[in-house]
Amino acid sequence: MADNVEDPGPHADYILDRPIQPVTGLRQGLPNYGDPHFALFLRKVFIKALGYSEDALSRPIIGIINTFSGFNPCHANVPQLVEAAKRGVQLAGGLAMEFPTISVHESFSSPTSMFLRNLMSMDTEEMIKAQPVDACIVIGGCDKTVPAQLMGGLSANKPVLPLITGPMMPGSFKGERIGACTDCRNNWAAYRGGSLDIEDIAALNEELAPTGGTCGVMGTASTMACITAALGMIPLRGGATAPAVSSARLRIAEQTGSNAVAAALAKRTPQKVLSAASFHNAITVLQAIGGSTNGIVHLLAIANRHPAVRGTITLDLIDKIGQQTPLLVDLKPSGNNYMTDLHNAGGMPALLERLRPLLKLEALTITGKTLGEALDAENFKPFPLSAQIIRPLDNPLYPASSLVVLCGNLAPDGAVIKASASKDRRLLQHRGRAVVFAGPQDLANRIDDPDLQVDADSVLVLQGIGPVGFLSPGMPEAGLIPIPRKLATQGVGDMLRLSDGRMSGTAGGSIVLHISPEAALPESVLGIVENGDVIVCDVEKRLLQLEVSDEEIQKRIADRQQRLDGKKECRGPADKRRQPTRGYRGLYERCVTQAQDGVDFDFLAADGADALERRLGSS
Ligand code: FES
């Protein structure tokens, strides 16, 4: 303390005519009792019940969000990560405070995990804002958790540091490596097609997820981990790829603890770190890894939470960057390997080094270094395995555009296909007759009907699984429409399939997703497609077209509106007007945006206040 400034002494917080300062640590975000000194006094009363000293309470407070759940095996290692992160915080002179938020796992979230992503983002945002943390480590891994935490962290705008749980190890079946979830789907399809027996499928069930951690292929969880590294939010080395059960993962956690203290002292918030350049890098990595189509929806939602970036990250931009970016990473479902292979091949430093000419190296990272400086510090040198798993730019796995954005009268606001995961590339330029299913129940009822009018050239169309949906909201991962059993048993392995829903990042096939506007909206063209209509999909031309005249389309839309209004007889789920629903589901159905805007709630985006104004104005 300078000589001429009076030391307020150890009880400064209780001097009533002195403003409470500095407004950091425990002194921030006091509950409103109309007497801030009393609020701080009371807060200290309660925190001391846990045995903390004034010295401990004077340190930068680093929150650690614990998302362990008995229903989330992808987060099985969270208790160990919390301990390691705490060690890192405390070694760096901070005080670690652990607290929970909700945890979302793919297989334990009904109707779908996507329905809960926005709830988790709200939980994350509000708890970071409400509690006196100077920075916060957010531990996530399973598909929706990392985007939820990035969305919430961006909106809370305190320093936020993701800590990824990490991928699971691959398993083994009859000598072959297997892993969730690409091999779950492939083997299930083989079982449906009759080439696997019931003993085999039961044995596979034991081995597909042999350890805790996230799915071991380039599914959504791995995609979001790589994207988070490309955004500069986690350590480049190991942050995205170190296996969940490795000691490297624990060291990443410790490092994240010390990084959090530094970010707290520098007040390095996500809105300061992230920029349009960061998102450019994230999209480049998404394309180069053949990432999950879900990554597109999540990136759009994350970008739209940022006041300076909102609206600049679009489907068009994602497609444009894709045209310049080859697919380099040889992982399932686009390639053959597993996340542990990517890690052993050098992980993100190796990939980013390969992509250097395509990246915006001036983008900041959470450590305060630019991405270029962080890469220089890694000084990665390729070795034989790295060249095998991460191809050079001039010898890619797929030349460009692993993820393609389609447009046309069937998807005026866009649709997405993971072209690199197509199993029958002829289908990327295809013209066929529609076989339409009005929602998942109709699909389940009829897909294996021996009398279904379908052949290998048909285009399977599933309506009603968009963000709002016909019967149930949440944009389920039902876009991987199964091949009708009568065709599967004849050896048909891929067909052109269309929907307004999503698909697991671990899945593959010629599958068009995220068609917008979704079929549940009265103006949707997808909602009026009929059996026998001709559909053209041309990936090269970015086209998704219904070969029906504009007049006929408008007539069908007008007819459907009459059925929705009860003026004509209802023909199925597409014609049923939704009854208003209470609670979170009601909020979701009223406020969720379409795929091209990230399926966030309109009022949570950076301009969310305008959405509320619009809503109030129209009520
Ligand atoms: Fe959690 Fe796949 S189910 S990452």
Side-chain angles (χ1 to χ4, degrees), residues 509-563:
S510 299
I511 302 184
V512 178
L513 304 154
H514 311 179
I515 292 178
S516 179
E518 63 166 300
L521 301 186
E523 71 272 23
S524 170
V525 177
L526 179 66
I528 54 87
V529 177
E530 295 180 357
N531 284 324
D533 285 347
V534 172
I535 290 175
V536 175
C537 175
D538 189 328
V539 167
E540 190 63 34
K541 292 185 178 149
R542 305 307 198 244
L543 184 69
L544 187 64
Q545 196 76 4
L546 181 68
E547 286 199 341
V548 170
S549 69
D550 289 348
E551 295 73 36
E552 173 64 14
I553 287 174
Q554 290 314 318
K555 179 180 171 303
R556 288 189 198 175
I557 288 175
D559 281 354
R560 183 184 173 202
Q561 186 62 57
Q562 293 215 317
R563 295 194 296 275

Side-chain angles (χ1 to χ4, degrees), residues 88 118 132 152 179 195 210 263 276 324 387 418 436 539 583 618:
N118 297 349
S195 56
Q324 295 148 10
K418 189 175 190 174
V436 182
V539 167
S618 66

Side-chain angles (χ1 to χ4, degrees), residues 74 105-106 142-143 214-215 221:
C74 302
H105 183 278
E106 290 303 291
C142 196
D143 293 15
T214 55
C215 289

